[in-house]
């Protein structure tokens, strides 16, 4: 057959979808670097293992977390904060891998935020049954800086609400390789991840991994 519109040599789906003012979903944007990203996550986790942190309310989070970069997001009985040291090891968090920073800068530029240089990357690991309730990200010093998030592995249902907790919530599936950029008016929107369903992904097994790049300090 001749004249096929999309051949097998074309890149995978890379649609751009505006979820809200300032919020852009770049479908498949991280597929090209998936192997480098996954290898780098393994390296980070060797130095700073995934752990289930405790919220100020005293409950262990179902999502396991670690960090890399100059500061890491942590929670314990004292509260939420960015800490330059891993409280588990007392050492600085592992350096941000070059492929992480490059992807974040590139995606942010694509979305209209040139010059984004994250200094913190929170790595979330979801096993089936894990979830993240509706929340805002407001622990960063400069809320004018965007956040870039990268989804790898099992799909998840993402909840995206408004600035106020009771604003209506939309749902979008986040798939392996999807990249989201949040800035401007959407930066303080509520968001969450519904309970991860069972499944197996060829690259990650029974896991979903999410990277969120922040300018924290
Ligand atoms: C919208 N992570 O780590 S990423 C988080 O998939 C977090 O693990 C989720 O929410 C996850 O804080 C969702 C999508 C996301 C990240 C940051 C945002 C959406 C956002 C900041 C502002 C608005
Ligand atoms: Fe968040």
């Amino acid at each position: 057959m001749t004249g096929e519109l999309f051949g097998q040599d074309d890149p995978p789906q890379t649609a751009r979808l505006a979820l809200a003012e300032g919020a852009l979903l770049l479908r498949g944007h991280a597929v090209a670097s998936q192997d480098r990203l996954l290898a780098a996550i393994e390296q980070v986790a060797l130095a700073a293992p995934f752990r289930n942190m405790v919220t100020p309310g005293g409950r262990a989070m179902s999502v396991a977390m670690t960090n890399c970069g100059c500061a890491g997001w942590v929670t314990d009985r004292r509260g939420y904060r960015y800490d330059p040291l891993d409280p588990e090891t007392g050492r600085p968090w592992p350096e941000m891998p070059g492929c992480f920073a490059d992807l974040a800068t590139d995606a942010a530029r694509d979305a209209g935020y040139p010059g984004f240089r994250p200094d913190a990357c929170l790595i979330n690991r979801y096993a089936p049954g894990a979830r993240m309730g509706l929340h805002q990200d407001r622990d960063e010093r400069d809320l004018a800086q965007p956040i870039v998030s990268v989804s790898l592995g099992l799909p998840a249902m993402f909840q995206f609400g408004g600035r106020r907790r009771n604003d209506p919530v939309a749902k979008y599936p986040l798939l392996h390789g999807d990249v989201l950029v949040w800035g401007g008016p959407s930066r303080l929107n509520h968001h969450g991840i519904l309970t991860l369903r069972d499944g197996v992904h060829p690259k990650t097994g029974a896991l979903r991994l999410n990277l969120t790049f922040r300018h924290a300090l």
Side-chain angles (χ1 to χ4, degrees):
M1 206 229 281
T2 58
E4 269 180 288
L5 213 42
F6 299 103
Q8 60 183 15
D9 294 334
D10 288 316
Q13 49 169 349
T14 51
R16 302 157 62 91
L17 189 65
L19 302 191
E21 209 189 322
L24 194 68
L25 170 54
L26 307 166
R27 285 268 189 226
H29 193 268
V31 169
S33 43
Q34 56 184 341
D35 291 334
R36 258 167 295 155
L37 296 172
L38 290 167
I41 294 170
E42 273 187 43
Q43 287 308 308
V44 168
L46 286 178
F50 283 100
R51 79 292 305 262
N52 294 87
M53 297 187 214
V54 173
T55 63
R59 293 158 65 107
M61 298 185 75
S62 59
V63 179
M65 297 175 168
T66 187
N67 290 276
C68 60
C70 297
W73 185 86
V74 297
T75 175
D76 58 19
R77 293 303 302 242
R78 288 148 55 205
Y80 308 132
R81 66 190 171 277
Y82 282 95
D83 199 317
L85 303 180
D86 177 351
E88 289 292 311
T89 65
R91 294 191 306 254
W93 297 100
E95 248 183 75
M96 179 126 30
C99 62
F100 278 27
D102 290 348
L103 177 67
T105 298
D106 179 71
R109 189 203 314 106
D110 243 40
Y113 303 97
F116 177 58
R117 295 306 293 177
D119 57 14
C121 175
L122 171 63
I123 309 176
N124 296 141
R125 188 183 71 188
Y126 295 74
R131 61 187 289 275
M132 191 178 287
L134 212 59
H135 67 278
Q136 292 173 296
D137 288 22
R138 52 190 309 164
D139 300 323
E140 301 73 30
R141 186 163 297 169
D142 179 5
L143 297 174
Q145 299 267 352
I147 289 184
V148 174
S149 101
V150 177
S151 293
L152 294 166
L154 288 179
M157 194 58 82
F158 172 62
Q159 294 180 292
F160 182 45
R163 182 109 178 190
R164 286 168 310 182
R165 210 177 189 294
N166 294 328
D167 285 338
V169 174
K171 284 193 262 178
Y172 298 89
L174 290 183
L175 311 176
H176 179 74
D178 285 353
V179 177
L180 283 154
V181 183
W182 310 93
S186 71
R187 178 63 179 74
L188 284 174
N189 283 25
H190 287 77
H191 57 279
I193 294 287
L194 296 184
T195 305
L196 198 80
R197 309 245 260 138
D198 277 319
V200 179
H201 187 277
K203 290 286 178 183
T204 64
L207 292 174
R208 170 175 188 265
L209 293 159
N210 177 264
L211 311 174
T212 50
F213 296 98
R214 300 130 186 280
H215 196 95
L217 303 179

